[in-house]
Amino acid sequence: MDTKIGSLDNCKPASNDVCSPVNGTVSTIQGSVSPAVVNCSEATLGRHLARRLVQIGVNDVFSVPGDFNLTLLDHLIAEPGLNLIGCCNELNAGYAADGYARSRGVGACVVTFTVGGLSVLNALAGAYSESLPLICIVGGPNSNDYGTNRILHHTVGLPDFSQELRCFQTVTCYQAVVNNLEDAHDMIDTAISTALKESKPVYISIGCNLAAIPHPTFAREPVPFVLSPKLSNKMGLEAAVEAAAEFLNKAVKPVLVGGPKLRVAKACEAFVELVDAGGYAVAVMPSGKGLVPEHHPHFIGTYWGAVSTAFCAEIVESADAYLFAGPIYNDYSSVGYSLLLKKEKAIIVQPDRVIIGNGPAFGCVLMKDFLRELAKRLKHNNTAFENYHRIFVPEGQPLKAAPKEPLRVNVLFQHIQKMLSGETAVIAETGDSWFNCQKLKLPSGCGYEFQMQYGSIGWSVGATLGYAQAVPEKRVIACIGDGSFQVTAQDVSTMLRCGQKTIIFLINNGGYTIEVEIHDGPYNVIKNWNYTALVDAIHNGEGKCWTTKVFCEEELIEAIETATGAKKDCLCFIEVIVHKDDTSKELLEWGSRVSAANSRPPNPQ
């Protein structure tokens, strides 16, 4: 029997082996399955869970120990294919699993009951908003305590153990509370397979006394499960393609725009096929950066309304037809609801639905299938790209810095641009790094991640840890503001323990600059730290670490040469001192528009 785990049509099979995921999809197992009988001492719930995680492509689990999960952690450690990475706190463990899932297609974290669960909740909410499959495992109360009216520690002092579960129900697509062994096998397998099918986080609570107990249902190696692929309705697909082709083929200057849901729809390659077939100009929404190849000859930049890449918004908004693949229109991506788009000109393609202008909507149509079939029906039309080519003026260079002049942010990112290659990946923290990193031109193979929908300040430290652990062959370049770093700085220590070689640019401008540009106040000013000294203290002589503080372009150039040369095998922390008002012009524009949207008065009743 041929079996597979994960996305059936996106993984390259490897006979009898776990293969590396392709384009962030979940790993595959294929081959003849003859599950071996397991000796009784290994036929435990903990062992089954560990093997399941390895089967779906999770080789690193991010954890924080607590008395309710310690025995479970013993069984995870005992699994040869699983590496347990202890984090400084649960929030960072969740962020790390988020970063890991962005590369591997799935991530996992393990925390303890309630005090750990409620701490990791914020990270799970972010993963839910970004459609990332995360397996959140919680060590729960002893199974004998359920229904006894007892009050347990790590709770709010009520004999009701469901508080944590109720909180997780809003940010996970499936919840399994395992407090007996009879149905544990089924509940765990259902939770994991649901996370993969829905591409959302799931919650698994395991009674602290159950992980080490053998049970007949675990007496064999876990049989790899098959996830039935979602299929398009053939009649609906044909009708949608016919209507869309007619809509686009009669347009004079149509354009294509890629959005963030290309990832969850696993439609990035199909979108490129459509771009190649149509010859249209192609842009990307800010939250979709990294999902569309920027080296494509018809790529015109990021469409972000008033803060778009130069000349991009003019081409998109003046088009007489535009296809958006997987968009999310929120107040941030729409720059305070200021996009100059018209519904009657738009084809909106969601992962399983197509809406054409003010006309028909087609359900049960998968984005990947729709884009591929539409590519076969489009007439070649490069008018919009030719218009872009006519009006395009190459980007100017930042003003040349005088010797020892205080470093400007635009000069910093000019040098970061030169560092990028197919062997690097960029992690951009919420804040001005959003806007500066958007302007980076990603070479082929260069990874790029940021969290736009949820926008949790501090996300990038944990996400950098997880992403770098998932792809050790890439050098991760993280751009983090000082305010964000203060939220989650501790897990630089975990990066050092794991031997990671990330380059962190800590941009020190003395506060929450993104908040300043939306609405300023004394609460946006933070206590300045000696960040390099802090990282040196975390390093404490254990692991490979190099830090420096730069004030001018000459020092920056020297620091980058050292980080990419003599210290290329180290975690490199470069603190960049810039003026508190040195922000991108895009942030200034965006901040004023978001402020206006936030401060709209109530509508009269």
Side-chain angles (χ1 to χ4, degrees):
M1 179 178 72
D2 288 335
T3 60
K4 293 184 179 182
I5 285 186
S7 174
L8 297 181
D9 53 353
N10 277 278
C11 293
K12 297 178 181 177
S15 181
N16 298 318
D17 288 315
V18 178
C19 74
S20 297
V22 180
N23 294 330
T25 56
V26 181
S27 55
T28 303
I29 295 179
Q30 179 171 304
S32 179
V33 178
S34 300
V37 176
V38 177
N39 70 59
C40 187
S41 65
E42 294 184 348
T44 63
L45 186 158
R47 179 195 168 282
H48 174 78
L49 178 59
R51 294 291 169 88
R52 273 294 190 225
L53 292 175
V54 172
Q55 278 186 345
I56 64 170
V58 173
N59 299 112
D60 303 274
V61 176
F62 302 92
S63 67
V64 178
D67 61 322
F68 285 124
N69 70 16
L70 298 177
T71 303
L72 176 61
L73 295 182
D74 287 339
H75 283 73
L76 298 182
I77 290 172
E79 169 55 46
L82 211 55
N83 180 30
L84 198 67
I85 298 177
C87 294
C88 297
N89 59 51
E90 292 86 1
L91 179 60
N92 276 341
Y95 286 155
D98 172 312
Y100 194 89
R102 289 167 183 267
S103 177
R104 288 291 185 92
V106 62
C109 58
V110 184
V111 299
T112 196
F113 186 59
T114 307
V115 289
L118 299 190
S119 183
V120 81
L121 200 65
N122 187 53
L124 267 287
Y128 191 96
S129 76
E130 302 268 326
S131 296
L132 297 171
L134 258 63
I135 318 296
C136 182
I137 303 159
V138 175
N142 186 293
S143 62
N144 298 302
D145 288 327
Y146 284 89
T148 61
N149 212 36
R150 292 171 178 163
I151 293 175
L152 292 182
H153 68 288
H154 289 342
T155 70
V156 295
L158 299 174
D160 175 10
F161 303 160
S162 66
Q163 180 199 22
E164 179 185 80
L165 170 64
R166 295 197 306 273
C167 292
F168 273 94
Q169 284 172 336
T170 61
V171 294
T172 56
C173 66
Y174 186 86
Q175 307 83 36
V177 178
V178 180
N179 53 24
N180 71 80
L181 291 171
E182 296 298 326
D183 56 3
H185 187 291
D186 179 58
M187 294 180 76
I188 289 170
D189 286 4
T190 301
I192 292 175
S193 61
T194 302
L196 300 180
K197 285 187 289 188
E198 301 298 326
S199 197
K200 296 284 188 182
V202 294
Y203 165 85
I204 304 175
S205 172
I206 296 178
C208 62
N209 60 326
L210 301 182
I213 302 176
H215 192 269
T217 55
F218 305 123
R220 288 181 174 270
E221 289 283 347
V223 176
F225 38 62
V226 176
L227 301 182
S228 301
K230 294 180 180 179
L231 300 173
S232 295
N233 178 288
K234 289 186 178 180
M235 291 179 64
L237 175 62
E238 174 59 29
V241 169
E242 182 178 350
E246 180 182 2
F247 186 91
L248 293 172
N249 285 336
K250 70 182 181 183
V252 177
K253 45 184 180 178
V255 297
L256 302 174
V257 184
K261 291 185 181 179
L262 281 170
R263 186 207 299 269
V264 69
K266 298 179 174 64
C268 296
E269 292 181 6
F271 186 70
V272 174
E273 290 178 23
L274 183 66
V275 175
D276 290 338
Y280 298 179
V282 59
V284 65
M285 296 185 75
S287 48
K289 186 176 175 70
L291 301 178
V292 176
E294 299 187 6
H295 59 278
H296 193 282
H298 281 197
F299 183 76
I300 64 171
T302 298
Y303 173 64
W304 200 353
V307 294
S308 299
T309 305
F311 309 106
C312 179
E314 292 83 351
I315 295 300
V316 172
E317 294 176 346
S318 67
D320 56 344
Y322 20 72
L323 183 150
F324 280 78
I328 295 178
Y329 301 110
N330 62 23
D331 50 340
Y332 274 14
S333 68
S334 66
V335 199
Y337 313 112
S338 65
L339 299 184
L340 300 179
L341 300 174
K342 294 184 178 179
K343 185 179 178 182
E344 62 268 21
K345 292 184 180 182
I347 296 177
I348 308 298
V349 188
Q350 296 294 6
D352 58 1
R353 188 172 183 80
V354 177
I355 303 169
I356 299 178
N358 287 323
F362 303 89
C364 299
V365 175
L366 299 186
M367 183 190 297
K368 180 169 54 180
D369 297 338
F370 172 78
L371 297 179
R372 286 208 163 114
E373 291 303 313
L374 181 60
K376 301 172 185 176
R377 305 276 285 273
L378 284 190
K379 295 177 182 176
H380 193 272
N381 184 342
N382 64 354
T383 302
F385 180 73
E386 288 296 322
N387 288 346
Y388 170 79
H389 191 66
R390 289 186 190 97
I391 67 173
F392 177 75
V393 177
E395 197 173 312
Q397 296 298 315
L399 293 174
K400 188 168 179 57
K404 301 297 181 179
E405 176 189 336
L407 187 61
R408 299 193 306 273
V409 170
N410 56 18
V411 173
L412 166 64
F413 278 89
Q414 180 186 28
H415 288 283
I416 291 177
Q417 176 68 66
K418 297 173 185 176
M419 300 172 68
L420 303 186
S421 71
E423 297 176 348
T424 61
V426 176
I427 305 289
E429 174 58 84
T430 300
D432 200 20
S433 290
W434 272 6
F435 302 91
N436 288 303
C437 288
Q438 277 291 333
K439 292 183 280 188
L440 294 173
K441 295 177 175 61
L442 303 181
S444 177
C446 181
Y448 185 90
E449 297 293 346
F450 80 133
Q451 188 195 62
M452 187 170 191
Q453 171 59 40
Y454 199 58
S456 185
I457 288 177
W459 162 87
S460 65
V461 176
T464 296
L465 164 64
Y467 191 95
Q469 191 65 24
V471 280
E473 67 276 10
K474 283 188 184 289
R475 191 96 190 260
V476 177
I477 299 170
C479 300
I480 308 175
D482 52 335
S484 300
F485 190 72
Q486 288 196 8
V487 179
T488 49
Q490 308 96 312
D491 271 283
V492 169
S493 66
T494 311
M495 298 178 194
L496 290 169
R497 288 173 62 194
C498 294
Q500 295 181 0
K501 53 186 180 181
T502 294
I503 300 174
I504 296 175
F505 286 98
L506 188 285
I507 303 168
N508 185 351
N509 57 9
Y512 291 113
T513 304
I514 191 169
E515 314 287 17
V516 168
E517 301 308 332
I518 296 174
H519 183 95
D520 200 5
Y523 30 75
N524 292 326
V525 178
I526 59 176
K527 173 70 175 70
N528 193 31
W529 294 358
N530 186 342
Y531 294 96
T532 52
L534 173 68
V535 174
D536 287 335
I538 292 173
H539 175 214
N540 198 26
E542 298 177 8
K544 294 182 178 181
C545 181
W546 177 75
T547 67
T548 190
K549 196 183 303 242
V550 301
F551 296 85
C552 61
E553 185 177 18
E554 293 89 339
E555 293 172 352
L556 174 67
I557 292 171
E558 184 179 346
I560 291 174
E561 287 176 350
T562 302
T564 56
K567 300 296 182 180
K568 65 181 179 181
D569 294 325
C570 298
L571 186 144
C572 297
F573 184 88
I574 303 173
E575 182 181 352
V576 183
I577 309 299
V578 298
H579 193 277
K580 68 180 181 67
D581 294 324
D582 186 358
T583 67
S584 65
K585 71 180 185 66
E586 290 81 6
L587 175 56
L588 297 176
E589 172 77 17
W590 179 89
S592 63
R593 289 175 181 265
V594 170
S595 175
N598 286 352
S599 59
R600 287 168 297 160
N603 289 326
Q605 299 300 316

